[in-house]
Amino acid sequence: MFVTLPFVARELIPLMQAQGQAEEEAARTLGAGGWQIFVQITLPNIRWGLLYGVIMGNARAMGEFGAVSVVSGHIRGLTNTMPLHVEILYHEYQFAAAFGVASLLTLLALGTLAARRVIEWHVTTELGYHAVAQMTEER
């Protein structure tokens, strides 16, 4: 949590600062509650940034090796991650199994990169759409 949540915060803090609080304040003056404001206004405004931060945090967590090995005590069967499992299999001379797990980890990393690219495309498409809509409103 201490390693991956900053990736989410790094995406959300500037995004929320740029958007401001005008919509939330307007909803509060109209009588909306805290959860209602969050679900109907804040969450839709930050959805792409939140998803992007979660994907980046997930990418960091998938490759975590040192912190899990040192902090968790590396207890077999209890505190295990895929990179630690590859190490265990490799040291037990189970090369085919180690290669299989490493290949799965590689596919997950490629999937994460693809998801990141799709989110970036959606964000640029959405921003481009909003920029065009704003330009037509000004005319």
Side-chain angles (χ1 to χ4, degrees):
M1 296 297 283
F2 292 112
V3 174
T4 58
L5 280 181
F7 285 95
V8 178
R10 192 174 81 188
E11 294 299 322
L12 289 182
I13 291 170
L15 177 64
M16 293 177 81
Q17 286 176 341
Q19 289 178 349
Q21 298 177 354
E23 292 180 21
E24 286 91 352
E25 289 173 0
R28 185 163 309 279
T29 60
L30 292 172
W35 279 108
Q36 189 177 13
I37 292 171
F38 178 74
V39 170
Q40 293 181 353
I41 296 172
T42 306
L43 193 57
N45 287 339
I46 65 168
R47 69 183 180 273
W48 294 117
L50 178 64
L51 188 58
Y52 188 80
V54 167
I55 285 176
M56 296 308 292
N58 181 47
R60 173 70 167 94
M62 278 194 308
E64 187 59 49
F65 183 83
V68 175
S69 181
V70 173
V71 174
S72 70
H74 200 186
I75 302 168
R76 188 174 206 156
L78 292 177
T79 56
N80 206 8
T81 62
M82 289 180 79
L84 290 175
H85 193 63
V86 170
E87 180 196 28
I88 290 169
L89 292 171
Y90 182 78
H91 286 302
E92 291 177 351
Y93 301 106
Q94 296 180 8
F95 299 118
F99 180 77
V101 175
S103 298
L104 179 60
L105 190 58
T106 302
L107 289 174
L108 289 171
L110 291 173
T112 300
L113 288 174
R116 176 181 169 218
R117 186 54 115 179
V118 167
I119 289 172
E120 287 175 350
W121 178 78
H122 276 289
V123 168
T124 56
T125 302
E126 190 172 299
L127 288 177
Y129 171 76
H130 288 303
V132 170
Q134 187 178 22
M135 285 173 40
T136 56
E137 284 179 13
E138 290 175 359
R139 290 183 185 175

